[in-house]
Amino acid sequence: QAQLVESGGGLVQAGGSLRLSCAASGRSFSAYTMGWFRQAPGKERDFVAVISRSGGTTNYADSVKGRFTISRDNAKNTVYLQMNSLKPEDTAVYFCAATTGTVLRVGVRQYEYWGQGTQVTVSS
């Protein structure tokens, strides 16, 4: 079972950058495909990015392509989300999630483990 803890959220002006981290403990980190999701107030939780177990393959939501980069360091049991050129519409609680599946999943129900989330607020 994986325990996930996000950090790195905060308040940033539009056009700025933030890097989120998600530290994992429990079962071997490299056994998990890792994803990032976000949830804005009053909205459903949406897929943002996913990375394969080795880190060699990634996938992104169209809304963040070219601005966000997901990466992982299996030696540090950590997955990252580098967010550049932030927009007010990126404001949300960001969650990391883990799945034992090998397919790069984009659905909320396809992930077994979740962190508690970290707030990202982008001011205009």
PDB file of all heavy atoms in Angstrom, residues 6-27:
ATOM      1  N   GLU A   6       1.716  15.263  -0.907  1.00  0.00           N
ATOM      2  CA  GLU A   6       2.057  16.329  -1.845  1.00  0.00           C
ATOM      3  C   GLU A   6       2.596  17.543  -1.102  1.00  0.00           C
ATOM      4  O   GLU A   6       2.259  17.789   0.061  1.00  0.00           O
ATOM      5  CB  GLU A   6       0.847  16.769  -2.664  1.00  0.00           C
ATOM      6  CG  GLU A   6       0.163  15.680  -3.468  1.00  0.00           C
ATOM      7  CD  GLU A   6      -1.003  15.067  -2.753  1.00  0.00           C
ATOM      8  OE1 GLU A   6      -1.035  15.146  -1.503  1.00  0.00           O
ATOM      9  OE2 GLU A   6      -1.897  14.518  -3.424  1.00  0.00           O
ATOM     10  N   SER A   7       3.395  18.330  -1.795  1.00  0.00           N
ATOM     11  CA  SER A   7       3.888  19.598  -1.278  1.00  0.00           C
ATOM     12  C   SER A   7       4.229  20.505  -2.452  1.00  0.00           C
ATOM     13  O   SER A   7       4.292  20.046  -3.604  1.00  0.00           O
ATOM     14  CB  SER A   7       5.116  19.390  -0.392  1.00  0.00           C
ATOM     15  OG  SER A   7       6.173  18.803  -1.135  1.00  0.00           O
ATOM     16  N   GLY A   8       4.443  21.785  -2.152  1.00  0.00           N
ATOM     17  CA  GLY A   8       4.895  22.711  -3.176  1.00  0.00           C
ATOM     18  C   GLY A   8       3.833  23.655  -3.701  1.00  0.00           C
ATOM     19  O   GLY A   8       4.130  24.522  -4.524  1.00  0.00           O
ATOM     20  N   GLY A   9       2.600  23.493  -3.243  1.00  0.00           N
ATOM     21  CA  GLY A   9       1.563  24.404  -3.699  1.00  0.00           C
ATOM     22  C   GLY A   9       1.734  25.784  -3.102  1.00  0.00           C
ATOM     23  O   GLY A   9       2.578  26.010  -2.234  1.00  0.00           O
ATOM     24  N   GLY A  10       0.922  26.726  -3.596  1.00  0.00           N
ATOM     25  CA  GLY A  10       0.999  28.082  -3.070  1.00  0.00           C
ATOM     26  C   GLY A  10       0.292  29.059  -3.972  1.00  0.00           C
ATOM     27  O   GLY A  10      -0.465  28.673  -4.869  1.00  0.00           O
ATOM     28  N   LEU A  11       0.563  30.342  -3.721  1.00  0.00           N
ATOM     29  CA  LEU A  11      -0.034  31.437  -4.485  1.00  0.00           C
ATOM     30  C   LEU A  11       1.015  31.994  -5.438  1.00  0.00           C
ATOM     31  O   LEU A  11       2.140  32.284  -5.025  1.00  0.00           O
ATOM     32  CB  LEU A  11      -0.517  32.525  -3.537  1.00  0.00           C
ATOM     33  CG  LEU A  11      -1.030  33.818  -4.170  1.00  0.00           C
ATOM     34  CD1 LEU A  11      -2.273  33.558  -5.009  1.00  0.00           C
ATOM     35  CD2 LEU A  11      -1.306  34.852  -3.086  1.00  0.00           C
ATOM     36  N   VAL A  12       0.661  32.126  -6.705  1.00  0.00           N
ATOM     37  CA  VAL A  12       1.596  32.628  -7.711  1.00  0.00           C
ATOM     38  C   VAL A  12       0.825  33.508  -8.690  1.00  0.00           C
ATOM     39  O   VAL A  12      -0.372  33.300  -8.912  1.00  0.00           O
ATOM     40  CB  VAL A  12       2.296  31.454  -8.436  1.00  0.00           C
ATOM     41  CG1 VAL A  12       1.293  30.608  -9.207  1.00  0.00           C
ATOM     42  CG2 VAL A  12       3.411  31.936  -9.328  1.00  0.00           C
ATOM     43  N   GLN A  13       1.510  34.482  -9.262  1.00  0.00           N
ATOM     44  CA  GLN A  13       0.883  35.329 -10.264  1.00  0.00           C
ATOM     45  C   GLN A  13       0.815  34.612 -11.609  1.00  0.00           C
ATOM     46  O   GLN A  13       1.638  33.721 -11.895  1.00  0.00           O
ATOM     47  CB  GLN A  13       1.663  36.632 -10.416  1.00  0.00           C
ATOM     48  CG  GLN A  13       1.510  37.575  -9.226  1.00  0.00           C
ATOM     49  CD  GLN A  13       2.138  38.935  -9.493  1.00  0.00           C
ATOM     50  OE1 GLN A  13       3.069  39.047 -10.286  1.00  0.00           O
ATOM     51  NE2 GLN A  13       1.628  39.950  -8.831  1.00  0.00           N
ATOM     52  N   ALA A  14      -0.120  35.014 -12.420  1.00  0.00           N
ATOM     53  CA  ALA A  14      -0.234  34.458 -13.764  1.00  0.00           C
ATOM     54  C   ALA A  14       1.091  34.630 -14.500  1.00  0.00           C
ATOM     55  O   ALA A  14       1.741  35.674 -14.401  1.00  0.00           O
ATOM     56  CB  ALA A  14      -1.356  35.134 -14.527  1.00  0.00           C
ATOM     57  N   GLY A  15       1.489  33.581 -15.213  1.00  0.00           N
ATOM     58  CA  GLY A  15       2.765  33.575 -15.901  1.00  0.00           C
ATOM     59  C   GLY A  15       3.902  32.991 -15.087  1.00  0.00           C
ATOM     60  O   GLY A  15       4.988  32.742 -15.622  1.00  0.00           O
ATOM     61  N   GLY A  16       3.663  32.787 -13.815  1.00  0.00           N
ATOM     62  CA  GLY A  16       4.690  32.258 -12.934  1.00  0.00           C
ATOM     63  C   GLY A  16       4.786  30.752 -12.983  1.00  0.00           C
ATOM     64  O   GLY A  16       4.109  30.087 -13.780  1.00  0.00           O
ATOM     65  N   SER A  17       5.640  30.214 -12.105  1.00  0.00           N
ATOM     66  CA  SER A  17       5.904  28.777 -12.079  1.00  0.00           C
ATOM     67  C   SER A  17       5.833  28.243 -10.657  1.00  0.00           C
ATOM     68  O   SER A  17       6.087  28.973  -9.689  1.00  0.00           O
ATOM     69  CB  SER A  17       7.304  28.485 -12.641  1.00  0.00           C
ATOM     70  OG  SER A  17       7.417  28.885 -13.988  1.00  0.00           O
ATOM     71  N   LEU A  18       5.515  26.975 -10.560  1.00  0.00           N
ATOM     72  CA  LEU A  18       5.566  26.228  -9.307  1.00  0.00           C
ATOM     73  C   LEU A  18       6.010  24.811  -9.626  1.00  0.00           C
ATOM     74  O   LEU A  18       5.744  24.307 -10.719  1.00  0.00           O
ATOM     75  CB  LEU A  18       4.196  26.168  -8.617  1.00  0.00           C
ATOM     76  CG  LEU A  18       3.690  27.385  -7.845  1.00  0.00           C
ATOM     77  CD1 LEU A  18       2.264  27.123  -7.380  1.00  0.00           C
ATOM     78  CD2 LEU A  18       4.588  27.708  -6.668  1.00  0.00           C
ATOM     79  N   ARG A  19       6.643  24.163  -8.660  1.00  0.00           N
ATOM     80  CA  ARG A  19       6.948  22.741  -8.790  1.00  0.00           C
ATOM     81  C   ARG A  19       6.326  21.995  -7.628  1.00  0.00           C
ATOM     82  O   ARG A  19       6.656  22.262  -6.463  1.00  0.00           O
ATOM     83  CB  ARG A  19       8.447  22.469  -8.833  1.00  0.00           C
ATOM     84  CG  ARG A  19       8.747  21.005  -9.157  1.00  0.00           C
ATOM     85  CD  ARG A  19      10.209  20.695  -9.306  1.00  0.00           C
ATOM     86  NE  ARG A  19      10.873  20.477  -8.035  1.00  0.00           N
ATOM     87  CZ  ARG A  19      11.970  19.741  -7.880  1.00  0.00           C
ATOM     88  NH1 ARG A  19      12.522  19.148  -8.939  1.00  0.00           N
ATOM     89  NH2 ARG A  19      12.532  19.625  -6.701  1.00  0.00           N
ATOM     90  N   LEU A  20       5.441  21.090  -7.948  1.00  0.00           N
ATOM     91  CA  LEU A  20       4.830  20.231  -6.950  1.00  0.00           C
ATOM     92  C   LEU A  20       5.646  18.952  -6.798  1.00  0.00           C
ATOM     93  O   LEU A  20       6.211  18.455  -7.768  1.00  0.00           O
ATOM     94  CB  LEU A  20       3.401  19.876  -7.344  1.00  0.00           C
ATOM     95  CG  LEU A  20       2.460  21.045  -7.647  1.00  0.00           C
ATOM     96  CD1 LEU A  20       1.060  20.508  -7.953  1.00  0.00           C
ATOM     97  CD2 LEU A  20       2.429  22.037  -6.516  1.00  0.00           C
ATOM     98  N   SER A  21       5.677  18.462  -5.570  1.00  0.00           N
ATOM     99  CA  SER A  21       6.330  17.187  -5.284  1.00  0.00           C
ATOM    100  C   SER A  21       5.336  16.257  -4.616  1.00  0.00           C
ATOM    101  O   SER A  21       4.425  16.703  -3.915  1.00  0.00           O
ATOM    102  CB  SER A  21       7.530  17.383  -4.351  1.00  0.00           C
ATOM    103  OG  SER A  21       8.501  18.224  -4.924  1.00  0.00           O
ATOM    104  N   CYS A  22       5.533  14.975  -4.816  1.00  0.00           N
ATOM    105  CA  CYS A  22       4.711  13.964  -4.164  1.00  0.00           C
ATOM    106  C   CYS A  22       5.647  12.861  -3.684  1.00  0.00           C
ATOM    107  O   CYS A  22       6.230  12.147  -4.503  1.00  0.00           O
ATOM    108  CB  CYS A  22       3.665  13.415  -5.122  1.00  0.00           C
ATOM    109  SG  CYS A  22       2.725  12.011  -4.474  1.00  0.00           S
ATOM    110  N   ALA A  23       5.780  12.755  -2.384  1.00  0.00           N
ATOM    111  CA  ALA A  23       6.640  11.743  -1.783  1.00  0.00           C
ATOM    112  C   ALA A  23       5.822  10.512  -1.441  1.00  0.00           C
ATOM    113  O   ALA A  23       4.751  10.617  -0.842  1.00  0.00           O
ATOM    114  CB  ALA A  23       7.307  12.299  -0.535  1.00  0.00           C
ATOM    115  N   ALA A  24       6.348   9.354  -1.803  1.00  0.00           N
ATOM    116  CA  ALA A  24       5.637   8.100  -1.580  1.00  0.00           C
ATOM    117  C   ALA A  24       6.372   7.221  -0.584  1.00  0.00           C
ATOM    118  O   ALA A  24       7.604   7.210  -0.538  1.00  0.00           O
ATOM    119  CB  ALA A  24       5.480   7.356  -2.896  1.00  0.00           C
ATOM    120  N   SER A  25       5.620   6.508   0.200  1.00  0.00           N
ATOM    121  CA  SER A  25       6.196   5.523   1.106  1.00  0.00           C
ATOM    122  C   SER A  25       5.365   4.260   1.025  1.00  0.00           C
ATOM    123  O   SER A  25       4.268   4.241   0.475  1.00  0.00           O
ATOM    124  CB  SER A  25       6.206   6.043   2.548  1.00  0.00           C
ATOM    125  OG  SER A  25       4.894   6.330   2.981  1.00  0.00           O
ATOM    126  N   GLY A  26       5.899   3.169   1.567  1.00  0.00           N
ATOM    127  CA  GLY A  26       5.202   1.899   1.498  1.00  0.00           C
ATOM    128  C   GLY A  26       5.855   0.992   0.476  1.00  0.00           C
ATOM    129  O   GLY A  26       7.070   0.916   0.388  1.00  0.00           O
ATOM    130  N   ARG A  27       5.044   0.353  -0.331  1.00  0.00           N
ATOM    131  CA  ARG A  27       5.534  -0.569  -1.344  1.00  0.00           C
ATOM    132  C   ARG A  27       6.469   0.134  -2.316  1.00  0.00           C
ATOM    133  O   ARG A  27       6.421   1.337  -2.465  1.00  0.00           O
ATOM    134  CB  ARG A  27       4.343  -1.160  -2.096  1.00  0.00           C
ATOM    135  CG  ARG A  27       4.689  -2.194  -3.152  1.00  0.00           C
ATOM    136  CD  ARG A  27       3.439  -2.706  -3.841  1.00  0.00           C
ATOM    137  NE  ARG A  27       3.761  -3.510  -5.009  1.00  0.00           N
ATOM    138  CZ  ARG A  27       2.858  -4.056  -5.794  1.00  0.00           C
ATOM    139  NH1 ARG A  27       1.578  -3.895  -5.523  1.00  0.00           N
ATOM    140  NH2 ARG A  27       3.213  -4.758  -6.839  1.00  0.00           N
TER     141      ARG A  27
END
